[in-house]
Amino acid sequence: MKYAKHEAKAHSRETMRGIWAAALNPFDTDGALDEAGLRRNIRHWIDDLHIQGLFVAGKQGEFWSMSVAERKRNMTIAADECAGKAGTIMSISDQNVDTLLDLGRHAQDCGADYVVVHAPMLSFCHDRDEVLFNYYKYICDRLDIGIAMWSHPDSGYLMAPETCARIADLPNIMAIKYSVPREMYARLTQMVGDKILVSTSLEDDWLDNIETLGWQLYLCSSPPYQIQTARDLRMHEYTELAFAGKFDAARRVRDSLDPVRAAIKGTKPPGKPTAHGKYWQDLLGQVGGHVRHPMLPLTAAEKAATKAAFDHCGLIL
């Protein structure tokens, strides 16, 4: 551990800045994790794209399809490749809290910087605020590493800003990935933005959130390595312009990526975001690989449409 438990909030504010991406995991034709491919992707993301941190073993990484041993190996590889070059935040999310804590202890031991825990699916729940506070407190009491909350619709509900603000008082809660409508994350930023880092995964809003909400962290999804190449670093460029207060210039660079965004959004089949993202990586020369059950692969027609849009989106390869 690089910091004491009570230092998690201050340490994250010092070290979590800029663009952090959520890593897709490449699986080979037999369904095994392509470790060499993952390492190659990570080196490209850090060395060529200047991504400053990685969100590992999360939804993008298809964690629900992986065994505990595979998830641990996923973390270890990322911590090894990122060591001294980029930050890591490992998803230890699981419905079983013993599994979650086992993953959390592994994250601490393998050199991770932080972990993230998504809001659990809840049944027969009437006092959600109390349930969620006690859930995160139970985890915080048993881990020393900095912990980020994560609220998204897949849980079946969204954590209220007031609930998040209460949980933010726990000593090693240091951030939240808040996949909610803008009015909710803006309100939470006003409530506890001086205490924890608030972020959301929508790249389209990143520049505006730097300017109007004072955000320092993009946490995180796949656009940082899908809308950029080693020769075309426009997301990195507009981010640095915004941090320098040059918002008009930043907007011009951001808006120039609209054809790339449109190509991705216009060809992504409903229910196949992971397969589409991996195929887009293949087109970029990264290691995309296959998806695991229950995710569906792209059809030949879907690949053809994506390739045609990719070829005309304006990315410089």
Side-chain angles (χ1 to χ4, degrees):
M1 291 291 296
K2 303 169 186 176
Y3 52 89
K5 185 172 186 169
H6 69 277
E7 297 171 333
K9 285 179 170 62
H11 189 268
S12 66
R13 195 164 294 276
E14 292 172 3
T15 60
M16 296 187 84
R17 180 186 182 276
I19 297 169
W20 286 47
L24 286 160
N25 275 325
F27 299 112
D28 64 24
T29 53
D30 296 324
L33 179 64
D34 182 350
E35 296 190 6
L38 177 60
R39 287 182 182 274
R40 177 182 152 191
N41 283 345
I42 291 173
R43 288 193 296 271
H44 168 62
W45 298 339
I46 296 171
D47 297 340
D48 300 329
L49 305 186
H50 309 301
I51 291 172
Q52 291 164 290
L54 293 180
F55 186 117
V56 177
K59 285 170 57 183
Q60 299 283 350
E62 300 170 75
F63 79 89
W64 61 81
S65 74
M66 301 173 75
S67 68
V68 173
E70 287 177 316
R71 293 174 70 182
K72 289 180 179 179
R73 182 63 182 158
N74 195 184
M75 294 179 193
T76 299
I77 291 169
D80 178 52
E81 288 293 338
C82 291
K85 296 176 288 186
T88 54
I89 182 165
M90 312 297 192
S91 173
I92 60 172
S93 303
D94 201 273
Q95 280 297 108
N96 183 285
V97 75
D98 292 330
T99 299
L100 185 155
L101 291 173
D102 182 31
L103 291 166
R105 288 187 288 268
H106 179 78
Q108 292 177 166
D109 293 342
C110 77
D113 293 292
Y114 309 100
V115 297
V116 60
V117 177
H118 71 56
M121 292 179 286
L122 297 175
S123 302
F124 311 113
C125 179
H126 296 284
D127 191 349
R128 187 183 298 156
D129 178 80
E130 194 65 23
V131 169
L132 290 171
F133 177 80
N134 280 280
Y135 176 74
Y136 279 100
K137 184 178 187 305
Y138 183 87
I139 297 164
C140 286
D141 286 348
R142 287 158 178 80
L143 295 176
D144 295 324
I145 198 167
I147 298 171
M149 296 176 277
W150 183 12
S151 179
H152 55 75
D154 290 359
S155 297
Y157 60 92
L158 298 176
M159 292 171 63
E162 292 76 14
T163 301
C164 298
R166 183 184 178 196
I167 295 168
D169 283 331
L170 296 170
N172 45 332
I173 294 289
M174 32 59 69
I176 182 170
K177 181 178 178 181
Y178 207 24
S179 303
V180 300
R182 193 175 195 278
E183 58 269 20
M184 291 179 68
Y185 67 67
R187 183 148 58 97
L188 183 62
T189 302
Q190 294 165 358
M191 295 169 70
V192 294
D194 60 340
K195 188 178 301 181
I196 66 169
L197 298 171
V198 181
S199 187
T200 196
S201 59
L202 190 62
E203 181 270 332
D204 307 57
D205 293 343
W206 168 226
L207 173 55
D208 293 335
N209 291 334
I210 297 172
E211 182 174 16
T212 62
L213 299 177
W215 281 11
Q216 69 177 63
L217 174 66
Y218 175 79
L219 183 74
C220 50
S221 192
S222 52
Y225 54 84
Q226 292 179 336
I227 66 173
Q228 299 193 104
T229 73
R231 297 179 59 214
D232 193 341
L233 296 169
R234 279 178 279 173
M235 184 178 180
H236 173 75
E237 182 182 349
Y238 84 67
T239 297
E240 292 304 310
L241 285 167
F243 283 159
K246 300 176 181 179
F247 294 109
D248 288 342
R251 273 188 286 274
R252 286 193 293 271
V253 177
R254 178 199 62 185
D255 294 349
S256 74
L257 282 165
D258 282 347
V260 184
R261 297 184 187 98
I264 292 174
K265 293 175 183 177
T267 58
K268 187 184 299 181
K272 296 184 180 180
T274 312
H276 185 270
K278 290 185 177 188
Y279 182 59
W280 193 271
Q281 282 184 275
D282 289 335
L283 296 174
L284 286 166
Q286 299 174 31
V287 184
H290 298 264
V291 294
R292 277 185 172 179
H293 293 295
M295 306 304 291
L296 294 172
L298 297 186
T299 64
E302 289 165 345
K303 285 185 176 182
T306 302
K307 177 66 164 58
F310 176 87
D311 288 341
H312 296 91
C313 72
L315 272 177
I316 302 170
L317 299 178

